Amino acid sequence: MTKTASGWMNGFLGVVIFSGSLPATRVAVADFDPVFLTVARAAIAGLLAVVLLAAFREKRPARQDLVPLAVVSLGVVVGFPLLTALALKHVTAAHSIVFVGLLPLATAIFGVVRGGERPRLAFWIFSLIGSALVVGFAFSQGITRAPLGDLLMLGAIIVCGLGYAEGAVLSRRLGGWQVISWALVLSLPLMVLLTAVTWPAGFGGIGEPAWIGLAYVSLFSMLIGFIFWYRGLAQGGIAAVGQLQLLQPFFGLALAATLLHESVSPVMLAVTVAVVACVAGAKKFA
């Protein structure tokens, strides 16, 4: 298998894993406070990362890698999980998933800024059309009914795109699983402290679905998914492989409808299909 093909395969596996993140978060915030959920999932994943790094006796990152690792931490360890958890208190998982259609564009932009990539003009045209479809959907579905939720999702997409691109650049030097592991470890002391501060008064009212949601976002969304994702971005290119994120709404909407019994309207499906068509065009010219 060529390096590029391996990158697409790893990227696809990462997207499949990430597709369950928003539905799992939606379930978890039904019983957990969004801030506690954010810091607890990072703390759990961080402790697992410590074990992983120690087991393989990985060398510590160089001093020049600490700032980029901090950016990764702020983007994907804290920023995206916190903003989406807060957003999902106002909007459904199905509604929030459509915003994932903006992630490829955000990732590509930061890939140019941080990774030095130069996609062709046609790539940007397809990416912009896809993004416009997502924003148009949000307005057509009544953005004024939950403006805070939509703004939080937009903020989450921006910080996530930055974290993805920064992590992909680092993965070329450190390796995919090493990047997310060190990013988790870097934020671990603060996450443990905040977990203690936001610790619920009791867990009697926490249902089993919320615990399953916490377990999923801690193990798969925060760690395992990034092992595949960062490796895929580093191998196949940030802008190109990043377009696979447009498949995430398909998987996410299916999960939201199947597991959460949320309504998936024909408009949602139509927008998702149109956006995926745009990503196919963008991939061709990346």
Side-chain angles (χ1 to χ4, degrees):
M1 182 181 294
T2 65
K3 183 179 180 180
T4 300
S6 177
W8 282 94
M9 180 60 69
N10 281 303
F12 178 78
L13 291 173
V15 165
V16 171
I17 293 171
F18 290 151
S19 297
S21 297
L22 291 177
T25 300
R26 173 71 171 175
V27 170
V29 295
D31 293 336
F32 286 114
D33 175 75
V35 177
F36 172 77
L37 176 67
T38 300
V39 296
R41 66 190 274 184
I44 293 169
L47 292 172
L48 292 173
V50 169
V51 174
L52 194 61
L53 290 167
F56 287 93
R57 299 180 179 181
E58 288 293 319
K59 294 181 180 180
R60 293 182 180 181
R63 181 174 298 180
Q64 64 266 27
D65 292 330
L66 293 180
V67 172
L69 281 171
V71 173
V72 174
S73 294
L74 289 173
V76 303
V77 176
V78 180
F80 183 78
L82 177 59
L83 292 173
T84 53
L86 292 171
L88 287 165
K89 298 292 286 187
H90 303 278
V91 299
T92 66
H95 183 86
S96 67
I97 285 166
V98 180
F99 280 83
V100 176
L102 292 170
L103 254 179
L105 178 61
T107 304
I109 291 173
F110 286 116
V112 169
V113 176
R114 300 297 302 148
E117 298 187 354
R118 295 293 183 269
R120 286 181 281 178
L121 177 61
F123 168 88
W124 295 111
I125 292 174
F126 280 109
S127 294
L128 287 170
I129 292 174
S131 299
L133 286 169
V134 173
V135 175
F137 167 80
F139 279 99
S140 70
Q141 294 301 294
I143 191 170
T144 54
R145 291 181 300 192
L148 180 58
D150 288 325
L151 288 174
L152 287 168
M153 281 305 304
L154 285 173
I157 295 304
I158 292 172
V159 298
C160 189
L162 174 59
Y164 280 173
E166 198 71 45
V169 173
L170 275 175
S171 295
R172 297 168 184 169
R173 300 196 300 272
L174 303 181
W177 71 268
Q178 292 92 335
V179 167
I180 189 58
S181 294
W182 284 119
L184 287 165
V185 169
L186 188 64
S187 62
L188 183 58
L190 179 60
M191 294 300 102
V192 170
L193 175 62
L194 292 177
T195 299
V197 171
T198 59
W199 195 266
F203 292 98
I206 309 298
E208 183 179 349
W211 285 111
I212 295 174
L214 174 59
Y216 187 92
V217 296
S218 300
L219 182 59
F220 291 94
S221 303
M222 291 299 316
L223 186 59
I224 296 176
F226 279 105
I227 293 175
F228 293 106
W229 183 240
Y230 277 147
R231 183 173 177 81
L233 291 175
Q235 290 178 325
I238 299 171
V241 175
Q243 300 307 300
L244 281 171
Q245 292 166 109
L246 265 300
L247 295 175
Q248 194 167 326
F250 266 131
F251 302 134
L253 288 174
L255 288 171
T258 304
L259 301 180
L260 305 183
H261 307 293
E262 293 184 353
S263 174
V264 178
S265 68
V267 176
M268 285 185 185
L269 289 175
V271 170
T272 301
V273 171
V275 169
V276 171
C278 288
V279 84
K283 174 182 176 294
K284 182 178 180 180
F285 295 102

